[in-house]
Amino acid sequence: MASAAVGSLRGSIRRAALRTAPRSPVVQASFRRAYSNGPGAEQAKGTSPFVWAGVAAAVGGGAYYWLKSGDANPTIAKIEEATGGKGGTRSYQQVYNDIAEILDADEYDDGSFGPVLVRLAWHSSGTYDKDEKTGGSNYATMRFKPESEHGANNGLKIARDLLEEKIKSKYPWISYGDLWTLAGVVAVQEMGGPKIPWRPGRIDGTDKNVTPDGRLPDASQAEDHLRQIFYRMGLNDQEIVALAGAHALGRCHTDRSGFEGPWTFSPTTFTNDFFKLLFDEKWQYKNWKGPKQFEDASTKSLMMLPTDIALIKDKSFRKYAKAYADDQDLFFKDFAAAFGKLIELGVPLEQFASKPPTFLKTTEEQADEKKAAEKK
């Protein structure tokens, strides 16, 4: 009880600090392209049947699924929430709010599960292969071995178990892919970051859909490796650098990646500090028995990975990194677009409940609306 009270108070203080800190304007860019990149109605025969979790209507008029007839393997073409109109806006907003409530955790890392939830959303989406049309966020295959045990996913069982216990048990109708990506959106927005476009429609696959190891970045590598990984997903240099800005959050752990330490002095607040520190600090090799990583010369308390340093060594990457270091609003805008694209990789367009994506309200925005309504 005492721990919960401290965590709640800590969360209130952090959110109050965010309200008084300068923030980028709400990012609501026009998304002209369809984010779907995976197979839709024309899936090859022989693909394993999907796990239709929550096909029956949920209590209180929950989700219902319209299955496209005539396909060898039916895919979801439309999802609507009876309680929230098209796209289930109200219902998913409630899921958002409940996820926001579990972010602050006095016992975990720097006091927040936010960074590990962002990592879960990113790693569950970043397995997409645009040529093979496999991977991505659609089937939530990290639930199964061997993908759940891939080295790049070390530590993410914490995030998966947290969402299973606190959220999925309460909202059994939401797919794991939707839950994991929504949790990443919540974390970014509630930690002071930009508004991220999101919409439901991912479905749960089986272990037959598991992707091979090696599709996520190896932090010990350099720019050529980054391009190989991200180009395979269909992303470009600017999007690679923008997504790297999420390293403003969280820290590395020796028992997970082998690396150790945070990237910034405020690892639970989303800012452009990652880019500013890349240019403002002098980075030197860390003298230790672990893998090659860098530390700041001034305090020796921060770290950078070889793939991070590649962002300022490579000419193309560097120009974007410098632009983001100089302009947080630009970084927020480009990150929102790149992250919104990332978490839709591999999802057929016809599965989405809303077109284009929507922007769910932060808890701060909802509180402000409530105050304004009370004054009327």
Side-chain angles (χ1 to χ4, degrees):
M1 290 290 290
S3 177
V6 171
S8 177
L9 176 60
R10 183 174 187 166
S12 299
I13 294 173
R14 182 173 62 82
R15 286 189 287 270
L18 284 175
R19 283 195 291 270
T20 58
R23 289 177 58 129
S24 275
V26 174
V27 176
Q28 295 192 356
S30 173
F31 290 82
R32 292 171 292 181
R33 69 181 296 278
Y35 294 158
S36 61
N37 294 279
E42 297 179 356
Q43 284 182 307
K45 293 182 179 180
T47 303
S48 297
F50 302 129
V51 178
W52 301 110
V55 171
V59 176
Y64 72 86
Y65 301 90
W66 178 79
L67 302 183
K68 191 171 182 180
S69 62
D71 290 346
N73 293 292
T75 58
I76 295 178
K78 192 175 184 182
I79 301 177
E80 289 190 4
E81 285 296 320
T83 55
K86 188 172 183 180
T89 305
R90 295 176 195 162
S91 184
Y92 286 105
Q93 184 67 67
Q94 186 56 55
V95 179
Y96 177 108
N97 294 347
D98 283 0
I99 296 172
E101 282 297 313
I102 65 172
L103 290 183
D104 295 308
D106 205 49
E107 72 280 6
Y108 184 75
D109 270 5
D110 300 289
S112 175
F113 284 117
V116 75
L117 292 180
V118 174
R119 182 167 166 247
L120 175 63
W122 150 223
H123 281 220
S124 64
S125 305
T127 57
Y128 183 65
D129 187 307
K130 64 180 176 58
D131 296 321
E132 294 184 7
K133 300 293 188 294
T134 58
S137 65
N138 198 33
Y139 300 139
T141 50
M142 202 193 297
R143 292 172 294 138
F144 308 111
K145 295 180 181 180
E147 190 171 334
S148 61
E149 297 179 345
H150 288 171
N153 294 328
N154 286 343
L156 289 179
K157 186 176 186 299
I158 295 171
R160 298 195 305 271
D161 288 351
L162 174 71
L163 294 174
E164 181 76 38
E165 177 187 352
K166 303 293 186 180
I167 308 299
K168 181 69 171 176
S169 60
K170 185 175 180 180
Y171 304 99
W173 46 263
I174 191 171
S175 71
Y176 284 98
D178 280 348
L179 176 59
W180 294 352
T181 55
L182 177 56
V185 170
V186 175
V188 169
Q189 294 188 175
E190 294 297 314
M191 290 189 288
K195 299 292 288 294
I196 307 294
W198 184 87
R199 52 186 168 178
R202 297 158 191 82
I203 59 177
D204 294 330
T206 71
D207 58 359
K208 302 298 183 183
N209 303 118
V210 168
T211 58
D213 200 1
R215 288 195 176 185
L216 293 169
D218 176 353
S220 67
Q221 302 297 315
E223 57 269 23
D224 289 345
H225 171 74
L226 285 176
R227 288 194 171 94
Q228 177 188 359
I229 294 293
F230 285 90
Y231 285 7
R232 188 207 68 232
M233 299 181 216
L235 302 177
N236 58 35
D237 284 4
Q238 177 261 315
E239 291 165 327
I240 293 172
V241 180
L243 288 171
H247 282 174
L249 303 173
R251 62 174 59 238
C252 288
H253 306 76
T254 53
D255 61 344
R256 300 179 194 176
S257 64
F259 301 101
E260 178 63 29
W263 287 270
T264 72
F265 294 109
S266 53
T268 61
T269 304
F270 198 96
T271 64
N272 67 335
D273 283 358
F274 168 75
F275 296 111
K276 292 167 69 174
L277 288 165
L278 268 175
F279 288 96
D280 293 346
E281 293 291 334
K282 180 180 178 181
W283 296 97
Q284 60 189 24
Y285 287 119
K286 180 180 177 67
N287 184 18
W288 73 321
K289 295 181 180 180
K292 176 182 174 182
Q293 69 176 65
F294 297 83
E295 65 182 5
D296 66 306
S298 56
T299 71
K300 295 182 172 59
S301 63
L302 302 179
M303 61 86 66
M304 289 287 170
L305 302 167
T307 46
D308 298 323
I309 298 300
L311 301 181
I312 56 176
K313 286 189 173 182
D314 181 87
K315 184 177 180 180
S316 176
F317 288 159
R318 183 183 177 89
K319 67 180 180 182
Y320 296 115
K322 187 65 170 69
Y324 296 151
D326 294 340
D327 190 339
Q328 180 165 278
D329 289 348
L330 175 64
F331 164 52
F332 274 27
K333 177 179 73 68
D334 287 353
F335 179 85
F339 196 71
K341 179 179 178 179
L342 172 72
I343 59 177
E344 292 199 351
L345 292 178
V347 186
L349 181 61
E350 63 267 25
Q351 287 182 201
F352 287 116
S354 62
K355 304 174 186 62
T358 57
F359 295 84
L360 293 169
K361 297 176 182 178
T362 66
T363 53
E364 179 184 338
E365 288 173 323
Q366 294 171 70
D368 289 344
E369 288 181 356
K370 183 178 180 181
K371 289 180 182 178
E374 291 173 347
K375 291 180 179 179
K376 292 182 179 179

